[in-house]
Amino acid sequence: MTSLQAESAASPGRPHAPSILPSHAGTAGGYPDGADFPARLTAVADAVEAFLADRLGDGVGEGEIARPPRLMQAMRHAVLGGGKRLRPFLTIETARLLGGPFAGALAAGSGVELVHCYSLVHDDLPAMDDDDLRRGKPTVHKAFDEATAILVGDALLTLAFEIQADPAWQADPGVRADLVLRTARAAGLGGMVGGQLLDLGAEGRFGPANLDVDATLQLQAMKTGALLAVSVEAGAIVGGATAPERAALLAYGRALGQAFQVADDILDREASAEAMGKRTGKDKAAGKATLVDRLGLDGARAECERLVGVCEAALAPWGAAAETLREAARFTVARKT
């Protein structure tokens, strides 16, 4: 029996439970290992991919009536075979730092990843950003149709909370409730969804708009930063962080989320569509509010470096043990895709 199976053995017969742990999971507690940061990032991404592929199988689960084949095919198109899986990586590495269980961290982080995937499907729709390409392949509404894409987003969002609330992965009901609560707040009206609405407003869709630096930072903290921050917080919850530990980790997550968005804005100006796997230059063309516009490219790069410093300072209590999370912050601003 693998460690993941042992952790979920208290709930026998649950649908879609993984039959094996990915072969690269070689450390104590089942955590994927890696000789360096890129190897560990890849190993975690592989574990997340396997977990999500299991959740998106065609077999009917407990309490389900049927799984429509077209819906499942489109959901797999949206989720599998692409992406860095940075959000579940942050959850898993945070839980690892605190000595939390791998199975719980994998499920919690995969739930956040499904929220992220749902947001991309809806963000690509013609009424939103109207994109034809995502991760180097047609967006869901192009590969299928708009109605299917809307339903795919709805299904991924609800599946995210089903996974986080399932006692097969989190034995403690308090942990389950906290995960669902924090993820809902990060994804909802005061977080990602609210930020998306502000982003549309910044394009001038609802009237004239000219956001200053502070308003742009608030928009980005909601639209992008909130889900990245809760990725870290989810790991803290699974890992049983104390209140001071959780506060420090949340500060790290918020700074990392802000750095990620600024780096993304820089890439939108400088990277090619081939490298990014999606259309670039669209933010400037749409008149979106970015720190590149407010600070210039050099100012935006300096802000990224400042935020990496904030991340590193927040992790100081853990010393060398938190090096992987420090590298995650550096990766966030140095990435080319």
Side-chain angles (χ1 to χ4, degrees):
M1 178 180 288
T2 67
S3 58
L4 184 57
Q5 288 171 315
E7 288 180 33
S8 58
S11 302
R14 286 197 170 270
H16 314 300
S19 57
I20 60 170
L21 192 65
S23 60
H24 55 255
T27 63
Y31 278 96
D33 206 356
D36 54 21
F37 178 81
R40 184 172 284 190
L41 183 65
T42 298
V44 169
D46 289 348
V48 171
E49 183 85 1
F51 182 87
L52 291 175
D54 251 0
R55 309 281 80 68
L56 295 171
D58 290 324
V60 177
E62 180 182 349
E64 297 177 351
I65 298 171
R67 289 191 164 198
R70 181 178 178 83
L71 179 63
M72 300 314 302
Q73 183 183 1
M75 290 172 73
R76 289 191 288 267
H77 180 90
V79 173
L80 302 179
K84 294 174 285 294
R85 309 300 188 196
L86 179 61
R87 288 156 189 82
F89 179 82
L90 292 170
T91 303
I92 288 168
E93 290 301 327
T94 301
R96 186 204 301 256
L97 176 67
L98 298 168
F102 171 59
L106 177 61
S110 295
V112 176
E113 181 70 4
L114 288 177
V115 174
H116 173 58
C117 291
Y118 124 75
S119 76
L120 299 182
V121 174
H122 281 189
D123 197 42
D124 289 337
L125 287 166
M128 300 284 282
D129 277 1
D130 193 16
D131 274 316
D132 297 343
L133 199 66
R134 171 70 66 180
R135 294 172 175 169
K137 61 185 181 182
T139 50
V140 176
H141 72 276
K142 284 294 182 180
F144 295 86
D145 59 82
E146 289 183 37
T148 300
I150 292 169
L151 293 173
V152 163
D154 295 344
L156 292 176
L157 179 61
T158 50
L159 180 59
F161 290 115
E162 178 184 339
I163 290 171
Q164 289 195 339
D166 193 336
W169 310 112
Q170 315 293 345
D172 185 338
V175 169
R176 298 197 299 270
D178 208 6
L179 283 172
V180 169
L181 174 64
R182 301 299 174 177
T183 304
R185 286 177 175 169
L189 58 93
M192 183 181 69
V193 171
Q196 290 282 14
L197 191 284
L198 294 177
D199 195 41
L200 295 176
E203 297 176 11
R205 293 200 188 193
F206 316 125
N210 185 20
L211 274 63
D212 60 16
V213 171
D214 287 344
T216 301
L217 286 172
Q218 182 186 68
L219 182 163
Q220 294 184 342
M222 295 170 67
K223 178 187 173 184
T224 303
L227 206 61
L228 281 157
V230 85
S231 301
V232 177
E233 191 171 19
I237 293 168
V238 172
T242 64
E245 287 174 335
R246 190 157 161 178
L249 289 165
L250 189 55
Y252 162 84
R254 285 172 174 162
L256 185 143
Q258 188 177 340
F260 183 96
Q261 182 60 62
V262 179
D264 214 47
D265 293 341
I266 294 171
L267 286 170
D268 185 71
R269 298 295 176 87
E270 296 189 328
S272 67
E274 291 75 21
M276 293 291 285
K278 62 181 180 179
R279 180 163 51 103
T280 57
K282 63 180 182 178
D283 290 348
K284 185 175 179 62
K288 289 183 178 292
T290 73
L291 282 189
V292 173
D293 290 321
R294 305 301 180 262
L295 302 177
L297 280 168
D298 288 342
R301 291 192 186 96
E303 179 64 5
C304 281
E305 292 305 315
R306 185 191 72 81
L307 290 165
V308 169
V310 174
C311 289
E312 292 177 340
L315 296 173
W318 288 275
E323 185 57 26
T324 299
L325 290 177
R326 290 189 189 88
E327 290 193 60
R330 298 180 200 120
F331 166 81
T332 293
V333 301
R335 61 196 168 90
K336 302 301 181 184
T337 62

